[in-house]
Amino acid sequence: MSAKQHEQAARFFDSVSGTYKDKYKDRSPFHHYFFNERLEKATAELDLSDADVLDIGSGTGDLFDHLVKRFPGMRFHATDVSPGMLAQSALPAERKYVGHAYDHPFAVRTFDAVFMLGVTTYLTPEELEKNLAFIAQSLKPGGVAVITFTNSHALDTWTRALARGPMALFGKKGNVLSSGLKLWMYPAGAVRSIMGKHFAVLRMDVLNHTVFPFNLLLPGLSLGIARKLAKVQGSRAWLRWLSSDLLVRATSKK
């Protein structure tokens, strides 16, 4: 991430850190659905009972909260560019690191699982490449990387792009669409190519089958349809068109 993008991202997420967790509770049905679907699909079928885990872009520590009850013996480490977000995390202070993962001299040098959820959207292509190279080098043999990307071919992505201008002028503060942050999105083919430079891709899943702004205006109907679509297996083209995010599970080539 460029220095300017880094500073803007850190400043924005610091500004929303105090209320960030609340957004993903039942108060906002859409955010609650999207966030929990992502956590469940990102961690499905993984046994992290005695694992070294790294969460890049950990935010307020919701992945840690999601996993720690199931795997109390795991050794969890977290990084984020926003100190304000990390301050809200229940993770012990000695396991939290402000800044880029590749800059930290972790006591643990390799990990059984590395997560980077909801982060690539804010990374320049150069910064994304640095993070992926670091993750690939940091996986133990047989270790797993779980990474999400915003889907550029999704209907939701297109409607949000149309809303960015009006939201920047009239939107509430604390919203990504009105933040002025530059965002990066990728089609499924590009995601496979980018990941394929460093990893053997195990599978790709799709996330969040709702469309802005209907997911906010008609949350009951939108979420009812989304939950039915979430049961469809695979990531076929028509389903990707209705899915805002792509979740990739991969392992190192070495």
Side-chain angles (χ1 to χ4, degrees), residues 11-248:
R11 193 162 51 244
F12 170 73
F13 284 105
D14 277 346
S15 72
V16 300
S17 60
T19 58
Y20 195 80
K21 276 183 177 287
D22 294 338
K23 184 168 67 171
Y24 294 101
K25 295 180 180 177
D26 291 329
R27 191 183 72 177
S28 172
F30 158 66
H31 287 105
H32 179 75
Y33 155 76
F34 167 63
F35 199 63
N36 284 281
E37 182 198 24
R38 184 169 71 186
L39 288 176
E40 289 166 7
K41 288 191 174 181
T43 60
E45 302 170 11
L46 292 179
D47 182 359
L48 303 174
S49 303
D50 186 33
D52 292 298
V53 178
L54 174 62
D55 185 13
I56 298 176
S58 183
T60 55
D62 295 276
L63 177 63
F64 172 73
D65 295 341
H66 182 76
L67 289 173
V68 69
K69 293 179 181 179
R70 293 165 54 194
F71 308 112
M74 71 175 176
R75 295 167 295 279
F76 196 98
H77 306 262
T79 70
D80 203 286
V81 298
S82 166
M85 295 287 275
L86 279 179
Q88 303 298 319
S89 172
L91 188 67
E94 65 271 17
R95 297 286 180 86
K96 295 188 284 192
Y97 310 92
V98 177
H100 300 298
Y102 50 75
D103 285 334
H104 285 291
F106 294 100
V108 175
R109 300 305 302 168
T110 56
F111 300 90
D112 298 283
V114 179
F115 295 86
M116 191 161 69
L117 308 178
V119 175
T120 62
T121 311
Y122 308 103
L123 302 181
T124 65
E126 295 77 16
E127 183 66 18
L128 174 60
E129 174 66 17
K130 288 181 72 173
N131 276 277
L132 294 181
F134 166 79
I135 294 170
Q137 294 167 4
S138 301
L139 284 178
K140 293 181 181 179
V144 176
V146 185
I147 301 171
T148 62
F149 296 80
T150 297
N151 177 16
S152 65
H153 285 181
L155 179 58
D156 180 78
T157 301
W158 300 340
T159 57
R160 286 177 183 275
L162 291 173
R164 288 207 78 182
M167 287 290 289
L169 292 174
F170 307 110
K172 296 180 181 179
K173 293 183 178 179
N175 189 296
V176 170
L177 290 179
S178 59
S179 68
L181 281 171
K182 188 169 182 180
L183 308 177
W184 280 266
M185 298 88 168
Y186 302 87
V191 169
R192 288 190 179 276
S193 177
I194 291 168
M195 290 291 291
K197 294 178 183 178
H198 301 283
F199 304 94
V201 174
L202 300 174
R203 77 179 196 222
M204 180 183 292
D205 291 311
V206 288
L207 299 173
N208 182 26
H209 320 291
T210 69
V211 178
F212 175 87
F214 307 106
N215 51 11
L216 302 179
L217 299 173
L218 300 168
L221 177 61
S222 294
L223 295 183
I225 295 172
R227 289 189 177 102
K228 289 184 178 180
L229 290 174
K231 297 178 182 178
V232 178
Q233 299 296 314
S235 59
R236 57 198 76 178
W238 70 267
L239 187 57
R240 291 199 301 269
W241 183 71
L242 294 171
S243 308
S244 71
D245 289 72
L246 306 168
L247 185 148
V248 180

